[in-house]
Amino acid sequence: MNSFCKNIMFFILIHAIAIIPLIASSSSEPDQGHHDDNNMRFLWFDKWQVHVVNDLSNKKTLLVHCKSKDDDLGIHNIVAGTEYNWKFRPRVFGNTLFWCHLAYDNLHAAFDVYWENEALYYKCDYNDCFWIARDDGIYLKDIRNNRVEHRHSWKLG
């Protein structure tokens, strides 16, 4: 392939990359905090938020330590009835993963709080995941169906 063809292909590629965000962000309707299921290919342009909610009884404090491959979000002590949350944009080429370690009294749990999965996207309404710590375990709020589901149990130690 000669250099002229390479330059044309490079030009087309750069323009295609530049146009995709414009297509993803343009809409004839105002954003109402939800997405159609067929918009999944543009998820990486959306900002996501993960919430870790302390719903423990007796005013217990919850220790929360969340990380990704690239970011350590630090250790936070969350008082009962409050939450720790953060926002991020998933990686364009995939494999975004956040996980957390939660602890209180002599109990702890470690689990993924965001990973690339269609079922998780749906339950989090495509941008907002709520993880709720209760005395009997960790729950994920299914926003679309307005319910919570038990996901993880506390471990002793």
Side-chain angles (χ1 to χ4, degrees):
M1 185 181 292
N2 65 32
S3 64
F4 177 76
C5 288
K6 287 181 184 178
N7 287 340
I8 292 295
M9 290 180 69
F10 180 73
F11 177 81
I12 292 169
L13 176 66
I14 295 300
H15 279 81
I17 291 171
I19 290 172
I20 288 173
L22 296 174
I23 293 169
S25 65
S26 67
S27 174
S28 60
E29 298 178 30
D31 182 16
Q32 300 197 357
H34 67 278
H35 299 271
D36 294 331
D37 293 335
N38 62 357
N39 285 338
M40 290 207 28
R41 63 181 170 264
F42 298 117
L43 285 175
W44 61 83
F45 291 112
D46 291 336
K47 198 170 249 187
W48 279 75
Q49 188 164 11
V50 174
H51 308 257
V52 179
V53 179
N54 181 350
D55 195 24
L56 297 170
S57 64
N58 300 322
K59 299 182 183 180
K60 294 177 185 167
T61 298
L62 178 69
L63 179 137
V64 177
H65 187 192
C66 299
K67 295 181 175 187
S68 73
K69 178 182 172 188
D70 303 318
D71 299 304
D72 185 334
L73 303 177
I75 298 172
H76 304 272
N77 289 305
I78 311 303
V79 297
T82 64
E83 70 175 52
Y84 171 67
N85 65 70
W86 70 96
K87 292 181 180 181
F88 65 95
R89 290 190 197 282
R91 292 180 182 164
V92 174
F93 296 110
N95 299 324
T96 303
L97 173 68
F98 279 92
W99 64 93
C100 293
H101 177 262
L102 278 52
Y104 80 98
D105 292 345
N106 198 26
L107 301 170
H108 67 93
F111 56 95
D112 296 342
V113 294
Y114 175 87
W115 62 98
E116 294 175 5
N117 176 276
E118 210 169 313
L120 180 72
Y121 297 157
Y122 183 82
K123 289 176 184 178
C124 295
D125 200 23
Y126 295 90
N127 69 352
D128 223 7
C129 291
F130 285 84
W131 293 93
I132 304 165
R134 294 185 175 160
D135 295 334
D136 61 342
I138 311 296
Y139 292 79
L140 173 63
K141 182 175 183 180
D142 182 341
I143 295 170
R144 290 259 176 127
N145 295 310
N146 195 29
R147 63 186 176 97
V148 294
E149 58 184 49
H150 187 266
R151 297 297 292 244
H152 303 282
S153 296
W154 295 105
K155 297 178 183 170
L156 201 57

